[in-house]
Amino acid sequence: MIFKEITDFFMAILDILNYPDPRLHTVAKPVKEVDASIRRLIADMAETMYDAPGIGLAATQVNQHIQLIIIDTSETKDQLQVFINPKIISKNGEQDYEEGCLSVPGIYENVTRAESIKVEALDKDGKKFTLNASGLLSVCIQHEIDHLLGKVFVEYLSPLKRNRIKNKMLKYSREIDQNRSRHVNI
Ligand code: QAP
Ligand code: CO
C-alpha cells in the first residue's frame, strides 16, 4: 500500500505531441525488455491518458519511440490494457468510426478500418498474449498501432481535409504560444 502511494506520488502527466509535429512520423522500435523504466512510462502514460481524458495513447505521442500502447475503452475507466510490441495477426470485415486523437485536439473524422482483428503482444509483465477484438476496441488498437508506425489518422482523409486540419492546428498552436508570451510579459 505504501509502495502504491509512493509510485502514485512520482507519476507525471507527460506532454503530448500535437499534429503536424514531424516527430509523430517516427517509426517506433520494439521493446527489448519490460523493465522498471518501461513500467514507469506505462504509469505516466496512463495518468496522461486518464487526465486528458482519452481512451488510447501510444508512446510515440509522448515522444518515446518504442512499441508501447495503452488503451482503456471501459465506461468505469479502470480497465487499462497494455500492449507491448503489438502485432495484428489477422483482420476481418470493415467498419466506419468517427475517430479522434489526443494529438489532434478538437478534430473528429470518419475512418474505415477492419471490423475485427486478432492481435498478439506482451502485457505489462512481459508475458505474451493474443486477443480478439471488435468494435471500438478493435478501432482503438488499429489507431494506436498506426502511431507506432508513424501514422496519424488524418492521413486517411483527403488531402484537402488534411490540409485544413493542419492549418487549423498550426493556427491553434501559434495562439497558445502568443498566450504564453503574454503571460510572461504582464
Ligand atoms: C483514439 O483517442 C481513438 O479531440 C484515442 O479534444 C479515438 O483518446 C480511437 C480526445 C476514437 C477510436 C475512436 C480527443 C480528447 C481523445 C480530442 C482519444 C480532445 C480530447 C482522443
Ligand atoms: Co491518436
Side-chain angles (χ1 to χ4, degrees):
M1 193 60 209
I2 279 174
F3 288 116
K4 180 163 190 330
E5 281 165 20
I6 290 172
T7 54
D8 280 353
F9 184 75
F10 287 110
M11 268 165 47
I13 292 173
L14 307 170
D15 285 337
I16 297 175
L17 300 179
N18 274 336
Y19 184 79
D21 192 311
R23 292 171 290 182
L24 286 170
H25 303 306
T26 312
V27 177
K29 293 195 164 66
V31 172
K32 288 201 185 107
E33 196 194 341
V34 183
D35 57 15
S37 71
I38 298 291
R39 282 191 289 274
R40 155 65 67 90
L41 179 59
I42 292 169
D44 289 346
M45 282 174 60
E47 194 180 17
T48 306
M49 178 180 77
Y50 289 125
D51 176 73
I55 57 169
L57 188 66
T60 308
Q61 293 175 275
V62 294
N63 203 26
Q64 298 292 322
H65 302 288
I66 57 169
Q67 294 177 16
L68 163 64
I69 66 178
I70 61 166
I71 292 177
D72 189 343
T73 54
S74 72
E75 302 246 305
T76 43
K77 297 289 158 226
D78 58 357
Q79 314 263 319
L80 186 72
Q81 287 178 288
V82 177
F83 300 80
I84 298 167
N85 301 342
K87 276 176 195 64
I88 294 174
I89 305 167
S90 61
K91 296 187 181 198
N92 268 296
E94 266 192 6
Q95 65 177 326
D96 279 2
Y97 205 98
E98 190 164 86
E99 296 187 17
C101 181
L102 287 171
S103 293
V104 200
I107 304 291
Y108 300 88
E109 293 285 349
N110 251 333
V111 178
T112 306
R113 297 189 190 267
E115 206 307 297
S116 60
I117 57 168
K118 184 174 185 168
V119 60
E120 192 181 273
L122 302 178
D123 67 15
K124 65 178 191 342
D125 302 311
K127 200 164 170 288
K128 198 169 181 166
F129 69 96
T130 58
L131 175 79
N132 293 304
S134 60
L136 174 60
L137 179 59
S138 162
V139 173
C140 203
I141 295 170
Q142 293 175 74
H143 175 117
E144 301 309 334
I145 288 179
D146 269 355
H147 277 301
L148 303 182
L149 301 168
K151 191 159 184 171
V152 181
F153 84 104
V154 297
E155 288 164 53
Y156 290 105
L157 309 175
S158 70
L160 181 69
K161 264 192 178 172
R162 187 165 61 244
N163 269 318
R164 277 192 192 141
I165 292 168
K166 200 182 276 180
N167 290 331
K168 195 171 169 178
M169 290 296 122
L170 289 170
K171 184 168 175 276
Y172 171 71
S173 70
R174 274 197 301 273
E175 280 168 10
I176 290 176
D177 286 349
Q178 278 166 10
N179 276 332
R180 234 183 243 130
S181 47
R182 204 174 302 135
H183 280 301
V184 174
N185 288 338
I186 290 174

